[in-house]
PDB file of all heavy atoms in Angstrom:
ATOM      1  N   VAL A  81      95.176 115.910  76.761  1.00 71.00           N
ATOM      2  CA  VAL A  81      96.205 116.883  76.237  1.00 71.00           C
ATOM      3  C   VAL A  81      95.762 117.417  74.871  1.00 71.00           C
ATOM      4  O   VAL A  81      95.356 116.674  73.989  1.00 71.00           O
ATOM      5  CB  VAL A  81      97.589 116.223  76.157  1.00 71.00           C
ATOM      6  CG1 VAL A  81      98.624 117.224  75.572  1.00 71.00           C
ATOM      7  CG2 VAL A  81      98.011 115.619  77.447  1.00 71.00           C
ATOM      8  N   ASP A  82      95.799 118.748  74.814  1.00 75.00           N
ATOM      9  CA  ASP A  82      95.456 119.406  73.555  1.00 75.00           C
ATOM     10  C   ASP A  82      96.846 119.833  73.014  1.00 75.00           C
ATOM     11  O   ASP A  82      97.375 120.848  73.370  1.00 75.00           O
ATOM     12  CB  ASP A  82      94.555 120.549  73.671  1.00 75.00           C
ATOM     13  CG  ASP A  82      94.228 121.273  72.500  1.00 75.00           C
ATOM     14  OD1 ASP A  82      94.726 120.909  71.383  1.00 75.00           O
ATOM     15  OD2 ASP A  82      93.501 122.298  72.440  1.00 75.00           O
ATOM     16  N   ILE A  83      97.372 119.078  72.047  1.00 76.00           N
ATOM     17  CA  ILE A  83      98.741 119.380  71.473  1.00 76.00           C
ATOM     18  C   ILE A  83      98.744 120.744  70.778  1.00 76.00           C
ATOM     19  O   ILE A  83      99.791 121.458  70.913  1.00 76.00           O
ATOM     20  CB  ILE A  83      99.147 118.246  70.521  1.00 76.00           C
ATOM     21  CG1 ILE A  83     100.668 118.424  70.167  1.00 76.00           C
ATOM     22  CG2 ILE A  83      98.367 118.181  69.281  1.00 76.00           C
ATOM     23  CD1 ILE A  83     101.586 118.190  71.250  1.00 76.00           C
ATOM     24  N   ASN A  84      97.688 121.143  70.167  1.00 78.00           N
ATOM     25  CA  ASN A  84      97.659 122.452  69.530  1.00 78.00           C
ATOM     26  C   ASN A  84      97.779 123.562  70.570  1.00 78.00           C
ATOM     27  O   ASN A  84      98.485 124.570  70.333  1.00 78.00           O
ATOM     28  CB  ASN A  84      96.357 122.621  68.708  1.00 78.00           C
ATOM     29  CG  ASN A  84      96.364 121.685  67.532  1.00 78.00           C
ATOM     30  OD1 ASN A  84      97.416 121.405  66.891  1.00 78.00           O
ATOM     31  ND2 ASN A  84      95.258 121.199  67.163  1.00 78.00           N
ATOM     32  N   GLU A  85      97.047 123.440  71.701  1.00 77.00           N
ATOM     33  CA  GLU A  85      97.175 124.427  72.778  1.00 77.00           C
ATOM     34  C   GLU A  85      98.605 124.485  73.353  1.00 77.00           C
ATOM     35  O   GLU A  85      99.103 125.563  73.532  1.00 77.00           O
ATOM     36  CB  GLU A  85      96.139 124.110  73.879  1.00 77.00           C
ATOM     37  CG  GLU A  85      96.044 125.128  74.920  1.00 77.00           C
ATOM     38  CD  GLU A  85      97.035 124.978  76.087  1.00 77.00           C
ATOM     39  OE1 GLU A  85      97.423 123.878  76.342  1.00 77.00           O
ATOM     40  OE2 GLU A  85      97.386 125.927  76.723  1.00 77.00           O
ATOM     41  N   ILE A  86      99.283 123.352  73.474  1.00 73.00           N
ATOM     42  CA  ILE A  86     100.588 123.287  74.022  1.00 73.00           C
ATOM     43  C   ILE A  86     101.567 124.003  73.015  1.00 73.00           C
ATOM     44  O   ILE A  86     102.387 124.795  73.386  1.00 73.00           O
ATOM     45  CB  ILE A  86     101.080 121.890  74.214  1.00 73.00           C
ATOM     46  CG1 ILE A  86     100.307 121.245  75.409  1.00 73.00           C
ATOM     47  CG2 ILE A  86     102.625 121.852  74.579  1.00 73.00           C
ATOM     48  CD1 ILE A  86     100.498 119.795  75.547  1.00 73.00           C
ATOM     49  N   VAL A  87     101.380 123.674  71.772  1.00 73.00           N
ATOM     50  CA  VAL A  87     102.306 124.320  70.725  1.00 73.00           C
ATOM     51  C   VAL A  87     102.059 125.795  70.662  1.00 73.00           C
ATOM     52  O   VAL A  87     103.023 126.639  70.707  1.00 73.00           O
ATOM     53  CB  VAL A  87     102.038 123.760  69.332  1.00 73.00           C
ATOM     54  CG1 VAL A  87     102.763 124.442  68.266  1.00 73.00           C
ATOM     55  CG2 VAL A  87     102.513 122.217  69.333  1.00 73.00           C
ATOM     56  N   ASP A  88     100.810 126.260  70.650  1.00 73.00           N
ATOM     57  CA  ASP A  88     100.523 127.713  70.685  1.00 73.00           C
ATOM     58  C   ASP A  88     101.070 128.404  71.949  1.00 73.00           C
ATOM     59  O   ASP A  88     101.546 129.502  71.818  1.00 73.00           O
ATOM     60  CB  ASP A  88      98.987 127.948  70.578  1.00 73.00           C
ATOM     61  CG  ASP A  88      98.455 127.483  69.183  1.00 73.00           C
ATOM     62  OD1 ASP A  88      99.280 127.406  68.276  1.00 73.00           O
ATOM     63  OD2 ASP A  88      97.210 127.359  69.132  1.00 73.00           O
ATOM     64  N   ARG A  89     100.936 127.782  73.071  1.00 73.00           N
ATOM     65  CA  ARG A  89     101.466 128.336  74.310  1.00 73.00           C
ATOM     66  C   ARG A  89     102.948 128.547  74.226  1.00 73.00           C
ATOM     67  O   ARG A  89     103.436 129.489  74.828  1.00 73.00           O
ATOM     68  CB  ARG A  89     101.044 127.453  75.449  1.00 73.00           C
ATOM     69  CG  ARG A  89     101.333 128.080  76.800  1.00 73.00           C
ATOM     70  CD  ARG A  89     100.765 127.346  77.953  1.00 73.00           C
ATOM     71  NE  ARG A  89     100.142 126.079  77.661  1.00 73.00           N
ATOM     72  CZ  ARG A  89     100.325 124.947  78.326  1.00 73.00           C
ATOM     73  NH1 ARG A  89     101.254 124.848  79.231  1.00 73.00           N
ATOM     74  NH2 ARG A  89      99.619 123.847  78.029  1.00 73.00           N
ATOM     75  N   HIS A  90     103.665 127.672  73.635  1.00 68.00           N
ATOM     76  CA  HIS A  90     105.128 127.786  73.645  1.00 68.00           C
ATOM     77  C   HIS A  90     105.704 128.356  72.391  1.00 68.00           C
ATOM     78  O   HIS A  90     106.914 128.452  72.261  1.00 68.00           O
ATOM     79  CB  HIS A  90     105.714 126.382  73.940  1.00 68.00           C
ATOM     80  CG  HIS A  90     105.364 125.812  75.297  1.00 68.00           C
ATOM     81  ND1 HIS A  90     106.043 126.248  76.366  1.00 68.00           N
ATOM     82  CD2 HIS A  90     104.417 124.946  75.659  1.00 68.00           C
ATOM     83  CE1 HIS A  90     105.520 125.668  77.406  1.00 68.00           C
ATOM     84  NE2 HIS A  90     104.594 124.857  77.027  1.00 68.00           N
ATOM     85  N   ARG A  91     104.978 128.668  71.412  1.00 69.00           N
ATOM     86  CA  ARG A  91     105.466 129.252  70.254  1.00 69.00           C
ATOM     87  C   ARG A  91     105.601 130.703  70.448  1.00 69.00           C
ATOM     88  O   ARG A  91     104.706 131.477  70.372  1.00 69.00           O
ATOM     89  CB  ARG A  91     104.496 128.949  69.066  1.00 69.00           C
ATOM     90  CG  ARG A  91     105.050 129.413  67.744  1.00 69.00           C
ATOM     91  CD  ARG A  91     104.247 128.950  66.583  1.00 69.00           C
ATOM     92  NE  ARG A  91     104.643 127.473  66.383  1.00 69.00           N
ATOM     93  CZ  ARG A  91     103.924 126.640  65.737  1.00 69.00           C
ATOM     94  NH1 ARG A  91     102.984 127.025  65.073  1.00 69.00           N
ATOM     95  NH2 ARG A  91     104.324 125.445  65.598  1.00 69.00           N
ATOM     96  N   SER A  92     106.793 131.103  70.763  1.00 58.00           N
ATOM     97  CA  SER A  92     107.117 132.521  70.939  1.00 58.00           C
ATOM     98  C   SER A  92     108.435 132.754  70.468  1.00 58.00           C
ATOM     99  O   SER A  92     109.347 132.003  70.371  1.00 58.00           O
ATOM    100  CB  SER A  92     106.914 132.817  72.419  1.00 58.00           C
ATOM    101  OG  SER A  92     107.912 132.115  73.112  1.00 58.00           O
ATOM    102  N   LEU A 106     110.490 128.583  68.432  1.00 67.00           N
ATOM    103  CA  LEU A 106     110.940 127.279  68.998  1.00 67.00           C
ATOM    104  C   LEU A 106     110.790 126.160  68.046  1.00 67.00           C
ATOM    105  O   LEU A 106     109.772 126.180  67.323  1.00 67.00           O
ATOM    106  CB  LEU A 106     110.249 127.013  70.329  1.00 67.00           C
ATOM    107  CG  LEU A 106     110.480 128.042  71.479  1.00 67.00           C
ATOM    108  CD1 LEU A 106     109.450 127.675  72.645  1.00 67.00           C
ATOM    109  CD2 LEU A 106     111.843 128.045  71.879  1.00 67.00           C
ATOM    110  N   SER A 107     111.642 125.225  68.089  1.00 70.00           N
ATOM    111  CA  SER A 107     111.414 124.042  67.249  1.00 70.00           C
ATOM    112  C   SER A 107     110.357 123.131  67.885  1.00 70.00           C
ATOM    113  O   SER A 107     110.027 123.292  69.056  1.00 70.00           O
ATOM    114  CB  SER A 107     112.717 123.213  67.107  1.00 70.00           C
ATOM    115  OG  SER A 107     112.959 122.568  68.319  1.00 70.00           O
ATOM    116  N   TYR A 108     109.802 122.288  67.157  1.00 71.00           N
ATOM    117  CA  TYR A 108     108.766 121.410  67.680  1.00 71.00           C
ATOM    118  C   TYR A 108     109.261 120.507  68.778  1.00 71.00           C
ATOM    119  O   TYR A 108     108.610 120.361  69.857  1.00 71.00           O
ATOM    120  CB  TYR A 108     108.268 120.449  66.597  1.00 71.00           C
ATOM    121  CG  TYR A 108     106.826 120.095  66.684  1.00 71.00           C
ATOM    122  CD1 TYR A 108     105.785 121.102  66.272  1.00 71.00           C
ATOM    123  CD2 TYR A 108     106.365 118.917  67.190  1.00 71.00           C
ATOM    124  CE1 TYR A 108     104.464 120.650  66.483  1.00 71.00           C
ATOM    125  CE2 TYR A 108     105.070 118.546  67.285  1.00 71.00           C
ATOM    126  CZ  TYR A 108     104.132 119.481  66.956  1.00 71.00           C
ATOM    127  OH  TYR A 108     102.756 119.157  67.087  1.00 71.00           O
ATOM    128  N   ALA A 109     110.528 120.075  68.738  1.00 74.00           N
ATOM    129  CA  ALA A 109     111.122 119.289  69.800  1.00 74.00           C
ATOM    130  C   ALA A 109     111.276 120.141  71.074  1.00 74.00           C
ATOM    131  O   ALA A 109     111.073 119.583  72.102  1.00 74.00           O
ATOM    132  CB  ALA A 109     112.551 118.728  69.322  1.00 74.00           C
ATOM    133  N   ILE A 111     109.451 122.706  71.874  1.00 71.00           N
ATOM    134  CA  ILE A 111     108.046 122.927  72.445  1.00 71.00           C
ATOM    135  C   ILE A 111     107.620 121.681  73.214  1.00 71.00           C
ATOM    136  O   ILE A 111     107.132 121.815  74.360  1.00 71.00           O
ATOM    137  CB  ILE A 111     107.138 123.191  71.301  1.00 71.00           C
ATOM    138  CG1 ILE A 111     107.397 124.616  70.741  1.00 71.00           C
ATOM    139  CG2 ILE A 111     105.653 123.171  71.807  1.00 71.00           C
ATOM    140  CD1 ILE A 111     106.602 124.830  69.466  1.00 71.00           C
ATOM    141  N   LEU A 112     107.831 120.468  72.710  1.00 72.00           N
ATOM    142  CA  LEU A 112     107.405 119.274  73.403  1.00 72.00           C
ATOM    143  C   LEU A 112     108.216 119.034  74.615  1.00 72.00           C
ATOM    144  O   LEU A 112     107.607 118.628  75.640  1.00 72.00           O
ATOM    145  CB  LEU A 112     107.515 118.085  72.419  1.00 72.00           C
ATOM    146  CG  LEU A 112     106.578 118.113  71.221  1.00 72.00           C
ATOM    147  CD1 LEU A 112     106.837 116.893  70.315  1.00 72.00           C
ATOM    148  CD2 LEU A 112     105.115 118.138  71.797  1.00 72.00           C
ATOM    149  N   ALA A 115     106.843 121.342  77.330  1.00 73.00           N
ATOM    150  CA  ALA A 115     105.534 120.946  77.698  1.00 73.00           C
ATOM    151  C   ALA A 115     105.662 119.698  78.609  1.00 73.00           C
ATOM    152  O   ALA A 115     104.994 119.553  79.574  1.00 73.00           O
ATOM    153  CB  ALA A 115     104.719 120.578  76.469  1.00 73.00           C
TER     154      ALA A 115
END
Side-chain angles (χ1 to χ4, degrees):
V81 177
D82 179 1
I83 190 68
N84 293 325
E85 188 270 332
I86 292 171
V87 171
D88 290 342
R89 188 173 0 133
H90 293 284
R91 185 167 284 167
S92 61
L106 296 172
S107 72
Y108 212 77
I111 292 170
L112 293 176

